[in-house]
Amino acid sequence: MGWFRRRPRITDEIYGNLMTSFGRVVDRDPLVKLPAAALAERVAGEFAAVVEELDAKTYRGSTMYHLRLLAGAWIMAREGAVPRATAEVFEEAFAWRFEPVRKGSGALARRLSELANGTFERETLG
């Protein structure tokens, strides 16, 4: 039943283009770079064991770099600099890249997106 299989939306080429373009853009603007780094650090702190495992299987700092770029995409989308769909595709790309390396790593991208968009349950007690 090959007719009904969904073509992957992300490819190595698309992922490479996303990384290259967002790497340059995010690092150029301190009003994107610094908040993106803070969001990435927050998520990395919440999932420290997953980040360590991913870095061990890829290269040191790769997870933080990718999280920072995803955060930058969401920040730019909220500012209207890029379409929201761009950040959504970047979130999917992160999961596509890291999920095969470590099962459950897509949770990092989802959590970062929740934080970037404010779509999470806030603790108001304590």
Side-chain angles (χ1 to χ4, degrees):
M1 294 285 158
W3 297 332
F4 299 107
R5 289 182 56 161
R6 178 179 168 285
R7 256 184 94 189
R9 293 169 60 185
I10 304 297
T11 64
D12 283 327
E13 182 182 355
I14 291 170
Y15 192 78
N17 289 342
L18 278 171
M19 294 299 297
T20 302
S21 62
F22 275 96
R24 290 181 187 141
V25 173
V26 169
D27 287 341
R28 188 177 305 138
D29 185 351
L31 296 176
V32 175
K33 181 181 180 177
L34 299 176
L39 280 170
E41 288 174 20
R42 165 83 184 265
V43 171
E46 291 179 11
F47 295 91
V50 176
V51 170
E52 276 186 40
E53 189 175 337
L54 287 171
D55 280 358
K57 291 180 178 180
T58 55
Y59 61 88
R60 190 104 186 111
S62 69
T63 310
M64 281 296 293
Y65 178 72
H66 290 78
L67 284 172
R68 188 172 54 79
L69 296 184
L70 173 58
W74 279 116
I75 291 167
M76 289 187 297
R78 293 198 40 109
E79 293 175 343
V82 298
R84 180 177 172 84
T86 301
E88 291 169 351
V89 167
F90 203 101
E91 179 181 348
E92 183 180 333
F94 181 95
W96 174 85
R97 174 60 72 197
F98 285 107
E99 191 67 29
V101 176
R102 199 244 186 226
K103 189 127 179 98
S105 59
L108 280 80
R110 287 187 297 279
R111 178 62 175 155
L112 190 137
S113 296
E114 287 175 352
L115 291 171
N117 290 303
T119 57
F120 60 96
E121 187 85 17
R122 296 184 190 272
E123 287 187 31
T124 57
L125 302 175

